[in-house]
Structure formats: structure tokens, C-alpha cells
Amino acid sequence: MSLEVIILAAGKGSRMHSHLPKVLHKVGGKEILRHVIDNASKLNPEKIHIVYGFGGNIVKDTIGGDYDYVMQKELLGTGHAVLQALPNCRHDSKILILVSDIPLITGETLNALVNSFGEKGVAVLTSVVEHPSGLGRIKRDASGKVTAIVEDKDCTPEEKLINEINTGVIAGDYESLNELLKQVKNNNSQGEYYLTDVISLACEKNIPVSSAVSANSKECEGINNKIQLAEAERYYQKRLAEKYMTDGLILMDPSRVDFRGNLEFGANTSLDVNVIIEGNVKLGNNVVIGAGCVLKNCTIADDSVISPYTVIEDSEIGKGATLGPFARFRPGCVLGEQVHVGNFVEVKKSKLANGTKAGHLSYLGDSEIGENVNIGAGTITCNYDGANKWKTVIGNNVFVGSDTQIVAPVTIGDNVTIGAGTTVTKNVEADNLIITRAPMRTISGWKRPEKKK
Ligand code: UD1
Ligand code: CA
């Protein structure tokens, strides 16, 4: 039987107190709904249907993708939501229904539920929790068979004590779900059409009811408010850190690092505390990332040492680099091998070839710098004339003295030496020394002005 997935994402999430629909809040840098889609995709469903509503097209526009988006115009409950998408499903398929606010459920757990019944039946994924308050409770008969789900707001005091809950994941074959959902009524405390009522209705109609219990209640926890959002974030980070460590990454403290994207790494590579990884980051072998570094969409080749509080974005760092502490790479930097960029150096859209060094306090923007160049402290590429950006080209083996301003556009040839304090305003041929510094004068017997009484 083929599988189709319906994701319920029309709710507002009022407890989030946000103008943004709940499902667009992020865990590990990725929207909650995108997590749910990715988890469902692990089962290779034929089609994914997404029921949206609150916030209008913002959910659709943000997530995009090749999914069947179905608008639920009025939020009349989870059962009503499923009925909006069900007509778009094949009549001979199994349907897996996911609430969109449990983002961390694994593919294996979802698979266990889908495989808990054959051609016909409905099934619920349950979890045993310490604090069931707010969640639908699972009722079982003496033989252990699930007979009903009772929503928290409809529970008797005895039912409130049940600590096995509905995770919000329900599956069934199309025919059974279609038949049962049409009979769901809204005579409950919230006046909603509950999806969860299909369980008791199935028992009445002798449609098989099965269940799977999640082995890990943590992965089934829903996000309804900002506290649960933060808890989900911590759990997600812990799980990812453990996976990366299992694969060989060294984490100085797995509870003090944040992964908000995809990380690839080689052997013997380590991250110190408070490192943030965003987007796609690729680290080679023997790479050392110091405390507090923020790495976003970058590659860092083997044997590089990135000292604390260095920020690198959309850049490629060659082998054996020594960067930071406190260095900043804005988008578009490409560094060759054995490049050194030290503290308080900002580099933007620049190429630094092999062996080049910029040790201290400089701005290098829109520049192409050759091999073995020494950039003295306080060097500024003046790339902006107030209207346009211009390029600086520096050849190989150039020595740039401290406190040099290079007014772009300008090209400096190989082996040029620039004296400290020079303002470069014209192209320089190879092998020359240039200097614009005024000669030093000595005025002897100079008296400093005195403060007036
Ligand atoms: C739901 C379950 C509850 C379960 C809990 C697990 C029902 C009736 N209750 O409760 O048994 O323990 O999830 O987290 O199913 N939605 C729509 N359209 C609607 C209403 C809701 O698309 O008209 C979506 C929401 O966006 C959300 C999901 O359905 O993603 C669940 O809705 P929510 O209001 O969070 O239900 P809970 O009260 O948490
Ligand atoms: Ca919920």
C-alpha cells in the first residue's frame, strides 16, 4: 500500500504570543514545520499534504516545496483539518497524520506506527510522560487495547491521572479514516471536530485499532509555548551533539555548542565552547575552532586553527590557516594556504593567496592580494568613494607598512615596499618603494601651551 502524509499546520499557536504562525518558529535554525516534513520524508511517502490556515500564505511562501498545500478556512479542529486534505489522497493508500508541532520525532518511530496495522485500521502513537497535563489521554480496556482518546479539557478527574498520552500522530487507511471522520461530532468542551475521536468510533464500528508506544517520550514532546520551544531546542542540540561525537567530532562541552545547519567534519577536529554553526559548514581534518566562534556557510581546510571569537561567513579558508582571535570574514573571502589573519582584522570579498599575513587591526575589502604579502597593522583598503565600490589588487611579496591607506581602484605590482603611513592613490610598478610620509622635523626647545588660570 502506498503512503501519504497529512501535516496539520493551520493553527495559530496562541500560546506562542507571536504574529508568526507557530510552525514557522525555528529549532536548530530550521522551521518547526520543515523538521516535520523532513521526518515524514524519511518514510518516502507518495505525497505530503500540508493543511495551512492561520497567517494566510506565509506558511506556504516560507516553506515552499513540491507539497500539496490545502487551506483550512475556518479552524474547526484537527478532525476538520484532516478532512480538508483527505479528498486529495489516493483511496487505496495508508495515511499518516502529523500535528505540526512535534518536530523531533524520528523516522523509525513513525515507521513503527505505520507498520502497526495492515490493510485496514487506525493507529495512534502514544507516549508515557511525567506531566500529561494539556494532552489527550489514552484509554485502554482490560486487554490493553486502545479504546479512546480523551482530550485534557474533557477528562474526568480519574482520566486526568492517566499518563499515557496521544502524541498527535495518527495513521489509518484512507477508507477507514474517511468513513470515521465524517461521523466525528463537535459536542465537546472546545466545540471542535477532534481527529482523536476516530479511535472510539473505530471501536464502535469494529475497525481494528492499533498503537505504538514511543520509546523516547522526549522526541514526542509538542511545542505550544516559548518554554517548550527552548526545551525542544536543547533536546535537539543534545541529540545532534551526541551524533557528531559518535562520528568523531571533539566537543569540549557538548552542552555549550549550537548547531543551526549542517556540519561536515574530518578526523581530529574540535570545537571549543560557545561555537555556533549555521548553514552549511565543512571542516577538514585537524581543524581547531576556538571558543565563541560563529561559522556560517563556510569551508575550512585541514590543519587550520581558528582562535576565539572569530566570525566567518560565506567564505573559503585554505589549509593551515591561523585566524583570530577576533577576526571577521564577511561574505566572499577566499584564502589560500597558510594564511594568517589576526585580531581586529575585517576582510570582505577578498582573495588572500598562500602565505599572506594581516596580523592586526586592518580592513581589507574588495581586494585581491598575492602570495607572501605582509599587511601591516592599521592598513585600510579605501574601497568606497561614497557611491561605488572599487577594487584593490596587490601583487606577490608586497610589504605594506603600518597605517597605509590604499585608495581604490589601484594596482600594486610584485615586490613593492610601502612605507608606513603611506596613502596610495596611484598604481605602483613592481619592485619600487613608495612612501608619502612627510619628512620628520625636530623643533627644539618646544614649549607646550599652559593651562589658563
Ligand atoms: C492535539 C491532540 C491531543 C494531543 C496533542 C499532542 C486533538 C484534538 N488533540 O492537542 O490529543 O495530545 O495534540 O501534541 O487532536 N490544527 C489545524 N486545524 C485546526 C486545529 C489544529 O490544522 O482546526 C493543527 C495545529 O496547527 C497543530 C495541530 O493541529 O499543529 C494540533 O493542534 P493543537 O491545537 O496544538 O492541539 P493540542 O491541543 O495540542
Ligand atoms: Ca499542540
Side-chain angles (χ1 to χ4, degrees):
M1 256 175 132
S2 65
L3 178 72
E4 298 193 29
V5 172
I6 298 176
I7 299 175
L8 307 183
K12 175 174 188 232
S14 12
R15 286 166 281 176
M16 294 296 269
H17 299 289
S18 170
H19 61 281
L20 205 63
K22 173 161 75 178
V23 294
L24 295 184
H25 287 76
K26 290 178 178 174
V27 171
K30 183 163 88 176
E31 293 87 359
I32 292 172
L33 178 55
R34 219 182 278 278
H35 280 278
V36 177
I37 293 170
D38 289 351
N39 298 339
S41 301
K42 295 200 179 109
L43 276 59
N44 296 317
E46 203 133 288
K47 219 171 184 189
I48 294 181
H49 311 264
I50 299 173
V51 183
Y52 71 103
F54 176 75
N57 287 336
I58 184 170
V59 169
K60 199 170 155 182
D61 294 345
T62 308
I63 303 294
D66 187 19
Y67 310 115
D68 174 36
Y69 283 93
V70 186
M71 174 85 160
Q72 185 189 14
K73 293 197 186 78
E74 273 183 290
L75 303 182
L76 301 179
T78 48
H80 178 260
V82 174
L83 277 176
Q84 309 309 300
L86 208 57
N88 297 0
C89 297
R90 266 175 55 175
H91 295 196
D92 58 351
S93 58
K94 270 193 187 184
I95 316 284
L96 173 65
I97 302 160
L98 302 170
V99 292
S100 58
D101 54 2
I102 46 172
L104 304 181
I105 211 154
T106 59
E108 295 92 82
T109 305
L110 295 177
N111 239 330
L113 182 73
V114 171
N115 294 329
S116 72
F117 64 103
E119 300 264 300
K120 193 169 173 64
V122 290
V124 53
L125 179 66
T126 78
S127 160
V128 176
V129 299
E130 216 177 312
H131 305 291
S133 167
L135 298 162
R137 308 297 204 284
I138 302 295
K139 295 193 76 171
R140 292 178 184 267
D141 65 13
S143 72
K145 197 184 135 221
V146 176
T147 55
I149 301 171
V150 188
E151 288 306 297
D152 186 68
K153 288 183 175 138
D154 303 300
C155 278
T156 63
E158 292 77 50
E159 286 167 341
K160 287 236 181 213
L161 300 175
I162 299 172
N163 67 350
E164 183 180 16
I165 58 97
N166 168 27
T167 60
V169 181
I170 286 181
D173 67 285
Y174 172 90
E175 296 292 355
S176 302
L177 283 172
N178 191 40
E179 179 190 337
L180 297 169
L181 277 169
K182 285 184 173 151
Q183 296 171 47
V184 167
K185 303 225 160 49
N186 66 347
N187 53 347
N188 49 55
S189 66
Q190 303 191 80
E192 286 185 4
Y193 295 91
Y194 290 161
L195 163 64
T196 45
D197 283 353
V198 298
I199 300 295
S200 55
L201 285 168
C203 292
E204 283 172 26
K205 310 275 172 216
N206 284 319
I207 291 173
V209 174
S210 61
S211 64
V213 185
S214 160
N216 179 352
S217 67
K218 215 62 200 156
E219 71 172 47
C220 299
E221 279 179 12
I223 298 175
N224 297 295
N225 56 42
K226 297 277 166 66
I227 297 172
Q228 289 169 339
L229 180 67
E231 282 169 359
E233 179 74 35
R234 281 304 103 211
Y235 173 67
Y236 173 81
Q237 293 299 337
K238 179 171 184 280
R239 193 167 78 179
L240 205 52
E242 284 170 1
K243 179 188 178 292
Y244 288 150
M245 289 188 292
T246 305
D247 293 345
L249 184 65
I250 302 165
L251 296 175
M252 295 311 178
D253 180 349
S255 70
R256 284 188 291 164
V257 55
D258 285 83
F259 301 107
R260 300 175 191 160
N262 305 308
L263 177 65
E264 281 178 54
F265 51 86
N268 206 32
T269 282
S270 65
L271 308 186
D272 209 329
V273 299
N274 299 329
V275 168
I276 299 177
I277 303 289
E278 292 180 65
N280 295 313
V281 173
K282 204 170 158 186
L283 308 176
N285 299 315
N286 304 310
V287 172
V288 177
I289 307 293
C293 288
V294 179
L295 309 180
K296 182 175 183 182
N297 297 319
C298 60
T299 59
I300 299 178
D302 298 351
D303 308 318
S304 292
V305 177
I306 316 298
S307 294
Y309 305 104
T310 292
V311 178
I312 305 177
E313 186 178 351
D314 290 308
S315 292
E316 277 172 52
I317 310 298
K319 216 170 165 227
T322 52
L323 310 182
F326 302 103
R328 179 176 182 207
F329 295 85
R330 290 166 52 202
C333 296
V334 179
L335 273 53
E337 296 185 2
Q338 312 294 333
V339 168
H340 170 66
V341 174
N343 41 199
F344 310 110
V345 176
E346 175 183 348
V347 191
K348 188 212 82 175
K349 207 174 172 189
S350 289
K351 280 188 186 148
L352 278 64
N354 297 348
T356 282
K357 296 183 173 67
H360 338 258
L361 297 155
S362 290
Y363 172 61
L364 304 173
D366 302 307
S367 59
E368 212 175 297
I369 303 175
E371 293 184 4
N372 300 313
V373 171
N374 185 81
I375 303 283
T379 297
I380 310 285
T381 53
C382 309
N383 59 332
Y384 185 50
D385 60 12
N388 297 297
K389 298 276 171 66
W390 300 100
K391 199 167 165 182
T392 296
V393 179
I394 300 177
N396 298 324
N397 304 308
V398 170
F399 178 91
V400 180
S402 295
D403 195 22
T404 293
Q405 301 97 49
I406 303 171
V407 183
V410 77
T411 299
I412 297 165
D414 292 346
N415 309 312
V416 164
T417 305
I418 302 176
T422 292
T423 303
V424 184
T425 51
K426 291 193 278 261
N427 291 349
V428 187
E429 297 289 317
D431 306 312
N432 290 311
L433 164 70
I434 56 163
I435 187 160
T436 61
R437 196 192 313 156
M440 188 170 114
R441 292 186 296 158
T442 303
I443 292 140
S444 50
W446 174 255
K447 294 255 180 330
R448 289 191 209 161
E450 280 174 19
K451 197 169 175 71
K452 285 188 185 140
K453 294 256 160 63

